[in-house]
Amino acid sequence: EVQLLESGGGLVQPGGSLRLSCAASGFTFSNYAIAWVRQAPGKGLEWVSAICGSGRCTYYADSVKGRFTISRDNSKNSVYVELDRLRVEDTATYYCAKGGGDLPSLFDYWGQGTPVIVSS
Amino acid sequence: AIRMTQSPSSFSASIGDRVTITCRASQRISTYLAWYQQKPGRAPKLLIYAASTLQSGVPSRFSGSGSGTEFTLSISHLQSEDFATYYCQQYYSYPPLTFGGGTKVEIK
């Protein structure tokens, strides 16, 4: 059974940092891209970042480029995203999602999400 | 970036109805389109990919069609568990991967 479990969310002040983790199981982890998708309260889905299965390629939305850094450790079946210089508008539930293949595409499994609240 | 536009943004329907949601892409995306269902407080769930291929375990009352720039998600015989918000997503070109704004299906 495929499972994705996010952790690391919380309350942080504007300008602060957080590190989100996504622990995966139930599939050959290094064969699949993993993405982060966020959802602000009462809003729609926004793709944030993705990393291919090997970890050699990373992608970012313009809204987070230069502030967020995605990485993965295939020996630990985990993906991480460092959130730096956080803004109020980064407040959202952050989901990690498994891609349909080695490169980012559709998302066939999702974690339950971890909330990030950026507020003073 | 490819912009995805869903219509309507919300509507009401009755159990047993057939409903259709439209998703339009700002440029041609072949059939690189997925549909997701999201219920309040839950993560999205993949329903359809490649515009018309049903994800394993998804009831056959869900169907998708379209190619190029116009796509539809249909639900025949709406069930109580189908009241949710539906999103389309293109994966033809990235970054960025882009979602539609969502369509909320409510009980009439």
Side-chain angles (χ1 to χ4, degrees), chain A residues 4-64:
Chain A
L4 299 164
L5 185 63
E6 305 95 335
S7 60
L11 174 64
V12 61
Q13 291 189 336
S17 299
L18 277 177
R19 187 195 200 208
L20 307 184
S21 300
C22 172
S25 60
F27 61 100
T28 304
F29 185 71
S30 60
N31 286 356
Y32 294 93
I34 300 292
W36 290 93
V37 177
R38 69 184 180 184
Q39 187 169 37
K43 302 298 184 182
L45 301 172
E46 179 190 15
W47 172 79
V48 171
S49 182
I51 186 165
C52 56
S54 66
R56 286 194 286 265
C57 46
T58 58
Y59 307 89
Y60 299 93
D62 285 348
S63 58
V64 307

Side-chain angles (χ1 to χ4, degrees), chain B residues 23-86:
Chain B
C23 176
R24 289 185 174 88
S26 62
Q27 63 189 73
R28 297 183 66 83
I29 59 169
S30 184
T31 56
Y32 291 87
L33 185 101
W35 289 97
Y36 302 88
Q37 176 193 65
Q38 187 181 32
K39 297 180 180 180
R42 304 288 298 275
K45 171 188 172 184
L46 177 65
L47 296 177
I48 287 169
Y49 62 94
S52 61
T53 302
L54 212 60
Q55 172 71 342
S56 176
V58 174
S60 59
R61 62 181 180 273
F62 290 91
S63 64
S65 66
S67 68
T69 61
E70 187 150 338
F71 303 86
T72 59
L73 171 70
S74 296
I75 312 171
S76 64
H77 306 292
L78 200 65
Q79 301 297 302
S80 58
E81 60 266 34
D82 301 334
F83 292 97
T85 300
Y86 294 85

